[in-house]
Amino acid sequence: NLKPNEIIPWLKQMGWNGDTKNLAQLLTELEPLVDRIHLDIDVGESIYPKIGLECYLIRQPIQEPKWALFLEIWLD
């Protein structure tokens, strides 16, 4: 239940050493386009540098104009 602006502080608190600058930029771009972002991490002795972001839109494409904008931006 982290908000996008809480993801990087949480990752840093957990000891993640990934690229926070690029992640911050990506989260800023994604936040207005999606309803939810899920964070996928792999954990061993620490959180591995590569993370995943799953983006969700609650309404179906025909009812949600953000789908077209999201796909246009991220599939180019």
Side-chain angles (χ1 to χ4, degrees), residues 30-76:
L30 285 173
E31 187 173 13
L33 299 175
V34 299
D35 295 317
R36 229 175 28 231
I37 300 172
H38 286 195
L39 177 64
D40 294 329
I41 57 174
D42 290 320
V43 179
E45 293 292 319
S46 63
I47 297 176
Y48 296 130
K50 186 176 180 180
I51 62 170
L53 300 174
E54 291 183 30
C55 299
Y56 292 90
L57 292 163
I58 295 171
R59 296 181 354 190
Q60 293 299 308
I62 200 161
Q63 301 169 323
E64 179 57 75
K66 288 192 285 186
W67 275 96
L69 183 57
F70 176 83
L71 293 173
E72 180 181 315
I73 289 171
W74 297 102
L75 294 180
D76 276 344

Side-chain angles (χ1 to χ4, degrees), residues 1-13 27 39:
N1 290 324
L2 295 173
K3 294 179 174 95
N5 67 334
E6 298 172 331
I7 290 174
I8 292 174
W10 182 85
L11 284 168
K12 289 171 86 174
Q13 181 182 356
L27 289 168
L39 177 64

